[in-house]
């Protein structure tokens, strides 16, 4: 089953992603008054929802960008220009008074409704998930010294689902751009309150997989333009080294990483976290790392990695994380455990989405190997984790297709 199919099936059985059916909309909307009231409601008691602390040495700053591509029509709403929300995580020189909100109360309300807790006394609870990023903190680093990593989330999932990964990379010295692909996420909210639901989530068009990937490829190149061009959208962009750009994606975001690597020469290395691929039409000579669950085993139910392997002619590795589910590589495993969602699922569905490995352990391993890959391919550092099995992470095995 391809990535879009897997995400759609998950939306039917997995309460976290059922939000696709709840929030799917055919237009950008201003959120109704009931959700606006949620914004004004009193904070909930401490629910204990917090992301794991970053493992690097640097403080982490964060800012959000609203980017409008005036040259391109939106692929899902051709009457409007393509508009994207982006979160930047980066090494910071000092703390500020505020930590980054994990998501908006409006998006949280929709997610909680999809999880069967719509009667919660505080539907904005996910906006209170503790992050480790200081809003608009001063960037740290000499001009032109920080590598840049683009992050693309899974189909139907918002950019916030990769916050723990983004924060960790930033604490290790990277500038990280998490991209919301408008109309492809359960919800994207703009600063003026407009709210975009997911247009293709309920579609049965067999061509939507390719359309999503092609559109994301354009999105990511546009974001790269706006961060490294002559007039960057971020005031701190001077610390970025535009010659050292990488990209990682989860699920269909991983397929977008490979597609972008093929068409944008500025991207030097790519990484796929458990995403079905469209086999390349020509050889890909730049480094590419595959990290996946048993679905991508040998044998596995998804043969797209084996079909793509021969065309990856540069440095490449195929890693399997034993006991992983599709959402192990994101924040959602931890949050679902914290909210008690996983316990409400049938065992097979819980294993497919969250795996049998503990969510904290799975996320820790994911962050370690993603960092090792970019340390090696963007910084030229030694990365022992990529040379073979590790005693510290015995759950990782290296696959070598015939």
């Amino acid at each position: 089953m391809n990535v879009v199919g897997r995400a759609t099936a998950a939306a039917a059985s997995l309460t976290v992603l059922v939000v696709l059916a709840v929030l799917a909309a055919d237009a950008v909307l201003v959120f109704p008054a009931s959700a606006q009231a949620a914004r004004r409601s009193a904070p909930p008691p401490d629910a204990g929802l917090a992301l794991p602390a970053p493992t690097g040495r640097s403080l982490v700053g964060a800012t959000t960008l609203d980017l409008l591509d005036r040259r391109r029509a939106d692929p899902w709403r051709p009457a409007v220009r393509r508009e994207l929300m982006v979160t930047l995580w980066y090494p910071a020189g000092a703390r500020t008074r505020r930590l980054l909100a994990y998501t908006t109360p409006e998006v949280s309300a929709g997610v909680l409704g999809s999880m069967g807790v719509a009667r919660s006394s505080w539907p904005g609870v996910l906006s209170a998930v503790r992050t480790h990023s200081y809003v608009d903190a001063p960037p740290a680093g000499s001009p032109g010294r920080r590598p840049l990593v683009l992050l693309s989330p899974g189909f139907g999932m918002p950019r916030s689902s990769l916050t723990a990964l983004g924060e960790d990379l930033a604490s290790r010295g990277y500038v990280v751009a998490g991209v919301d692909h408008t109309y492809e996420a359960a919800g994207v909210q703009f600063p003026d309150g407009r709210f975009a639901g997911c247009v293709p989530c309920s579609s049965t068009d067999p061509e939507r997989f390719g359309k999503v990937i092609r559109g994301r490829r354009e999105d990511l190149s546009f974001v790269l333009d706006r961060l490294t061009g002559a007039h960057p959208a971020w005031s701190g962009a001077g610390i970025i080294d535009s010659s050292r750009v990488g990209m990682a994606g989860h699920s269909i975001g991983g397929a977008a990483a490979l597609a972008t690597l093929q068409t944008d020469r500025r991207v030097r290395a790519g990484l796929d976290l458990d995403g079905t691929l469209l086999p390349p039409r020509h050889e890909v000579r730049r480094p590419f790392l595959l990290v996946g669950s048993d679905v991508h085993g040998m044998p596995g139910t998804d043969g797209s990695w084996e079909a793509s392997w021969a065309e990856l002619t540069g440095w490449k590795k195929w890693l399997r994380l034993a006991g992983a589910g599709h959402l192990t590589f994101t924040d959602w495993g931890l949050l679902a455990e914290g909210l008690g969602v996983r316990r409400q699922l049938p065992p097979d569905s819980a294993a497919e989405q969250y795996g049998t490995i503990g969510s904290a352990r799975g996320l820790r391993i994911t962050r370690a190997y993603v960092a090792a890959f970019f340390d090696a391919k963007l910084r030229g550092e030694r990365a022992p984790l990529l040379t073979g099995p590790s005693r510290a992470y015995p759950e990782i095995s290296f696959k070598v297709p015939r």
Side-chain angles (χ1 to χ4, degrees):
M1 184 182 295
N2 66 34
V3 175
V4 173
R6 289 175 65 192
T8 305
S13 61
L14 176 64
T15 49
V16 169
L17 294 183
V18 174
V19 66
L20 304 182
V22 176
L23 295 180
D26 289 339
V28 174
L29 305 174
V30 175
F31 225 82
S34 59
Q36 296 293 349
R39 180 195 294 272
R40 298 189 295 270
S41 61
D46 183 6
L49 295 175
L51 300 181
T55 61
R57 297 179 179 179
S58 296
L59 293 172
V60 179
T63 194
T64 56
L65 302 176
D66 180 358
L67 303 179
L68 179 64
D69 188 349
R70 300 184 184 278
R71 298 173 299 177
R72 183 164 61 112
D74 190 285
W76 307 108
R77 288 288 174 265
V80 300
R81 299 289 91 184
R82 186 63 165 165
E83 187 175 4
L84 305 171
M85 289 301 299
V86 176
T87 295
L88 293 179
W89 296 279
Y90 53 87
R95 294 176 174 85
T96 56
R97 294 183 177 182
R98 288 192 298 136
L99 290 172
L100 177 73
Y102 186 75
T103 189
T104 68
E106 290 82 0
V107 172
S108 175
V111 171
L112 289 180
S114 76
M115 295 168 71
V117 289
R119 293 186 296 274
S120 168
S121 61
W122 202 81
V125 65
L126 291 182
S127 66
V129 171
R130 181 178 173 81
T131 70
H132 302 275
S133 305
Y134 292 94
V135 174
D136 294 333
S142 302
R145 298 296 297 275
R146 300 295 191 183
L148 172 64
V149 175
L150 306 176
L151 295 183
S152 181
F155 182 71
M157 300 179 74
R159 69 190 192 275
S160 60
S161 64
L162 298 176
T163 297
L165 179 57
E167 289 187 333
D168 193 64
L169 287 170
S171 77
R172 294 169 179 260
Y174 293 87
V175 175
V176 184
V179 182
D180 256 338
H181 301 281
T182 310
Y183 297 115
E184 296 168 22
V188 177
Q189 190 161 27
F190 296 97
D192 61 5
R194 287 172 299 139
F195 189 93
C198 186
V199 172
C201 287
S202 59
S203 170
T204 58
D205 182 357
E207 299 299 321
R208 66 174 175 160
F209 184 39
K211 182 176 179 179
V212 168
I213 292 172
R214 291 189 295 272
R216 290 194 177 204
R217 180 184 64 198
E218 297 298 320
D219 288 349
L220 294 158
S221 289
F222 167 67
V223 171
L224 190 51
D225 290 343
R226 298 296 288 120
L227 291 177
T228 63
H231 303 286
W234 178 42
S235 61
I239 66 172
I240 295 173
D241 181 350
S242 61
S243 70
R244 294 190 291 170
V245 176
M247 182 181 165
H250 169 247
S251 194
I252 204 168
L258 180 59
T260 306
L261 200 67
Q262 295 174 68
T263 59
D264 196 323
R265 294 185 177 275
R266 295 172 295 180
V267 182
R268 288 179 48 181
L271 190 156
D272 175 17
L273 295 171
D274 209 48
T276 297
L277 299 174
L278 282 181
R281 294 183 178 179
H282 53 80
E283 64 180 6
V284 178
R285 299 178 181 179
R286 278 165 281 175
F288 201 76
L289 177 64
L290 301 161
V291 185
S293 62
D294 289 339
V295 169
H296 299 289
M298 285 182 264
T301 57
D302 178 5
S304 72
W305 287 16
E306 289 182 277
S308 302
W309 187 256
E311 296 303 319
L312 302 176
T313 58
W315 183 100
K316 59 185 177 181
K317 297 284 184 181
W318 178 336
L319 308 184
R320 170 181 170 267
L321 176 54
H326 190 52
L327 300 178
T328 295
F329 307 93
T330 74
D331 301 346
W332 286 115
L334 285 173
L335 298 183
E337 286 183 2
L339 292 171
V341 171
R342 179 171 180 164
R343 296 192 298 271
Q344 302 173 19
L345 297 177
D348 289 348
S349 294
E352 178 184 357
Q353 298 304 322
Y354 302 116
T356 56
I357 191 173
S359 295
R361 177 67 176 173
L363 193 52
R364 177 182 177 186
I365 295 171
T366 299
R367 298 203 302 184
Y369 279 86
V370 171
F373 174 70
F374 288 123
D375 284 349
K377 302 310 172 185
L378 298 184
R379 287 174 163 163
E381 298 178 359
R382 293 181 63 253
L385 286 181
L386 300 180
T387 61
S390 166
R391 291 183 179 180
Y393 305 113
E395 300 93 337
I396 289 286
S397 57
F398 287 67
K399 301 296 182 182
V400 182
R402 296 177 181 178

